Amino acid sequence: MELPAWMPIIFYAVVIMVFIGVFSWTHLEANSEQKHFSILVFLTAFMLVNDFLSRMYIYPEFPTWIVVICTYINFLVLPAIGIGWYWFVRSVLTAEQRYSALSINAAILIIASIGFVALLTNPFTHAVFAFDSTGLYHRGPLFFFPAGSTFLCIIIAEVYIIRRVRNLGRDMFVSMLIFPVPPLVGGIVAMLVYGIPWMPLGIAFSMVILYATLQDSSMGMDFLTGLHNRA
């Protein structure tokens, strides 16, 4: 069974995400933003694995039920990453450790709820996605809702970043500001070049950039006092 060229890239991206998630959870400072970042990385790795499995429909011998379940999970994890990014930004900017879903903008909840209802009814309506008699995947008319809720969360988080730029260092500000760019470009390319997971790979790329910035900032900070060290 010959694999498409993009599948090994997904495998390496998952390995990198798992490594970053484990390392950031165990080695970086045990504060709120670092833990939120680690959870965000693990969610990205989980999404990449599910995306990999959901695209195995190209092989008729692969169990269809696994493909269907992983596709549903993908559409649920994608908004979770957007909300996770929102929480991460809030933790960096406000240093708060408790959050409630009620703090998320009402527009996010509305569009996410519509996407969730669309997923629940999808087996009957095929509004989000469908598989034809040959097992091939097709997008539905509400396909954009999960991705739309994700980017809505990210956009609102970006507004927080811009409004509170003085709370961030230059490198952190730039890394957080450009975070949505690779996924957004990937999403646009995915609409033009069907069948390749551009957006998940874009999210993974953004995670790598942010991780490098977090690690660099932690090297110049004293673990106990939170003050800048001699480095």
Side-chain angles (χ1 to χ4, degrees):
M1 183 172 64
E2 185 178 354
L3 296 177
W6 56 264
M7 283 192 172
I9 298 176
I10 291 286
F11 172 79
Y12 288 119
V14 170
V15 172
I16 292 172
M17 289 298 100
V18 171
F19 172 80
I20 289 177
V22 172
F23 187 87
S24 61
W25 185 273
T26 57
H27 289 79
L28 295 180
E29 290 90 343
N31 51 33
S32 177
E33 58 264 28
Q34 299 292 5
K35 297 305 181 184
H36 278 113
F37 173 73
S38 298
I39 293 172
L40 203 54
V41 172
F42 287 131
L43 272 174
T44 303
F46 183 61
M47 180 185 64
L48 287 167
V49 171
N50 273 281
D51 192 276
F52 180 92
L53 294 175
S54 68
R55 294 175 187 274
M56 296 297 285
Y57 65 83
I58 60 177
Y59 302 108
E61 64 273 16
F62 194 81
T64 304
W65 65 270
I66 296 179
V67 174
V68 173
I69 290 176
C70 290
T71 303
Y72 272 101
I73 292 175
N74 268 344
F75 280 104
L76 290 173
V77 172
L78 191 57
I81 289 178
I83 294 173
W85 173 249
Y86 175 86
W87 284 351
F88 169 75
V89 170
R90 288 290 301 271
S91 67
V92 170
L93 294 178
T94 64
E96 296 174 358
Q97 298 190 7
R98 292 184 180 180
Y99 302 96
S100 169
L102 295 177
S103 66
I104 302 174
N105 189 281
I108 298 175
L109 294 177
I110 292 173
I111 195 170
S113 298
I114 294 175
F116 183 69
V117 171
L119 281 174
L120 288 179
T121 60
N122 191 70
F124 312 101
T125 63
H126 305 300
V128 181
F129 67 90
F131 291 89
D132 60 25
S133 57
T134 64
L136 290 178
Y137 167 85
H138 298 278
R139 296 172 178 173
L142 297 183
F143 167 81
F144 62 91
F145 268 99
S149 62
T150 301
F151 280 109
L152 188 56
C153 290
I154 293 176
I155 288 172
I156 291 176
E158 294 297 296
V159 172
Y160 276 108
I161 293 170
I162 294 173
R163 291 179 60 183
R164 305 193 64 175
V165 60
R166 294 181 180 178
N167 295 38
L168 299 168
R170 182 180 61 86
D171 292 341
M172 181 62 72
F173 171 72
V174 172
S175 296
M176 294 176 69
L177 190 65
I178 67 173
F179 178 88
V181 175
L184 181 60
V185 173
I188 294 173
V189 174
M191 288 196 253
L192 303 175
V193 183
Y194 185 74
I196 299 178
W198 296 105
M199 190 163 71
L201 289 173
I203 294 175
F205 183 71
S206 293
M207 293 295 177
V208 172
I209 295 174
L210 188 58
Y211 169 71
T213 304
L214 287 171
Q215 188 179 42
D216 181 65
S217 63
S218 68
M219 293 174 64
M221 193 78 69
D222 182 77
F223 179 78
L224 294 176
T225 64
L227 300 175
H228 292 289
N229 58 29
R230 293 177 64 87

